[in-house]
Amino acid sequence: MYLTRFRVNTHRSDARRLLGSPHRLHGAVNASFPTPPSREGSGPRVLWRVDRNTDSETLLYIVSPGRPDLTHLVEQAGWPASDEPGWATFSYADFLTALHAGDTWGFRLTANPVHNIRHQYLKEGERTKRAAHRTPRHQMRWLLERQERAGFEIVQKPEERRLLPVGDEYELVVRDQIPLQFHRPQAGKEPRTRAPGRADVQITKVTFDGRLRVTEPALFRRTLTHGLGKAKAYGCGLMTLAPVRGEGATA
């Protein structure tokens, strides 16, 4: 397994075009591997995420079973003439192996929190429809409901640090809620006529920052290498870790 970090040159029009289309960026990430990444089977998959940390720093993170070659991204969305390397790739396997129950980490996760609802306008045969969670409260609950199966638990705040009597129990914040609508071309088919305002894909990307504690290392390793939630092809599901007050190692 490998963890790769690529800095995007947002001053370039091609870079902005990529960032504006999860479908294009998905294709650019897949093009980093000689063999297209498989989405089938039980093995680790390619995950990616874009972090817009500041106006001058936008980073693309990729977790993958094989080492990527991002030469094409440097030429399209980086600094091709720079003496600095266009990306950095780190071995991830040793870090994953070193995770143990009880380890505490800061984390960042961009996900697509959804739930199934019943709707009076569903087509015949459809019992439920997938819909995005819209409020931070429900988005947090979505993550909390999955933590046990994902091998971790969100750290709870000491009572003296809780600003509200309800809803402020955890070291967890929601930021950067981004609704996305875009078209997904079908290979070998003519573009379909679409009604104005309609899109093939509609997702809501939400970024969580917080602190967690590892409870089941094997399950947690799977979460880090397989992703969490839906829309993984479009920049959701990747969780990365950072040390907390000197604990652990950077990832």
Side-chain angles (χ1 to χ4, degrees):
M1 293 299 300
Y2 295 90
L3 172 66
T4 300
R5 182 179 64 233
F6 174 83
R7 185 177 176 187
V8 182
N9 183 354
T10 55
H11 296 287
R12 303 188 67 174
S13 58
D14 284 346
R16 295 193 297 272
R17 190 175 299 112
L18 277 176
L19 293 173
S21 170
H23 180 76
R24 287 195 184 99
L25 193 46
H26 166 64
V29 169
N30 282 353
S32 304
F33 305 93
T35 302
S38 174
R39 297 178 59 185
E40 306 298 329
S42 58
R45 61 178 297 164
V46 173
L47 303 168
W48 60 272
R49 187 184 79 218
V50 173
D51 284 4
R52 293 176 171 85
N53 296 328
T54 65
D55 291 341
S56 61
E57 184 182 66
T58 296
L59 301 175
L60 169 66
Y61 288 95
I62 303 172
V63 164
S64 56
R67 181 185 292 272
D69 180 352
L70 303 187
T71 303
H72 63 298
L73 274 176
V74 173
E75 295 171 349
Q76 185 176 5
W79 287 266
S82 174
D83 292 332
E84 298 181 10
W87 71 92
T89 297
F90 310 92
S91 176
Y92 206 28
D94 290 343
F95 174 80
L96 294 171
T97 302
L99 292 170
H100 294 93
D103 290 349
T104 302
W105 295 91
F107 75 91
R108 175 168 292 175
L109 166 70
T110 293
N112 176 38
V114 296
H115 62 126
N116 292 323
I117 61 172
R118 297 188 181 277
H119 197 288
Q120 60 178 329
Y121 301 112
L122 289 178
K123 298 178 182 178
E124 184 178 353
E126 292 181 320
R127 300 183 61 183
T128 60
K129 185 177 181 65
R130 188 178 296 165
H133 285 299
R134 301 294 184 186
T135 67
R137 176 185 174 190
H138 288 98
Q139 291 158 353
M140 285 185 179
R141 187 173 68 184
W142 175 89
L143 181 58
L144 292 169
E145 288 173 349
R146 284 156 180 76
Q147 59 180 345
E148 182 177 356
R149 298 192 302 274
F152 67 90
E153 61 182 8
I154 306 296
V155 175
Q156 295 193 25
K157 294 180 181 178
E159 290 190 12
E160 62 271 16
R161 290 185 50 216
R162 300 178 186 180
L163 302 179
L164 301 172
V166 178
D168 193 36
E169 299 94 335
Y170 296 95
E171 297 276 5
L172 181 64
V173 296
V174 176
R175 63 179 188 84
D176 295 344
Q177 176 173 292
I178 304 174
L180 296 173
Q181 299 184 8
F182 56 95
H183 298 300
R184 178 177 52 195
Q186 294 183 337
K189 294 187 177 182
E190 293 295 325
R192 294 174 294 172
T193 301
R194 302 181 177 92
R198 296 293 299 275
D200 293 324
V201 181
Q202 300 183 45
I203 62 176
T204 298
K205 296 174 69 171
V206 174
T207 297
F208 300 91
D209 284 339
R211 293 178 62 187
L212 60 77
R213 184 176 298 108
V214 180
T215 56
E216 294 288 345
L219 290 177
F220 190 51
R221 292 184 192 107
R222 180 179 176 84
T223 297
L224 295 176
T225 57
H226 290 67
L228 187 61
K230 305 293 184 180
K232 297 183 183 72
Y234 300 118
C236 297
L238 173 58
M239 175 184 286
T240 54
L241 307 179
V244 177
R245 296 175 185 172
E247 299 180 59
T250 303

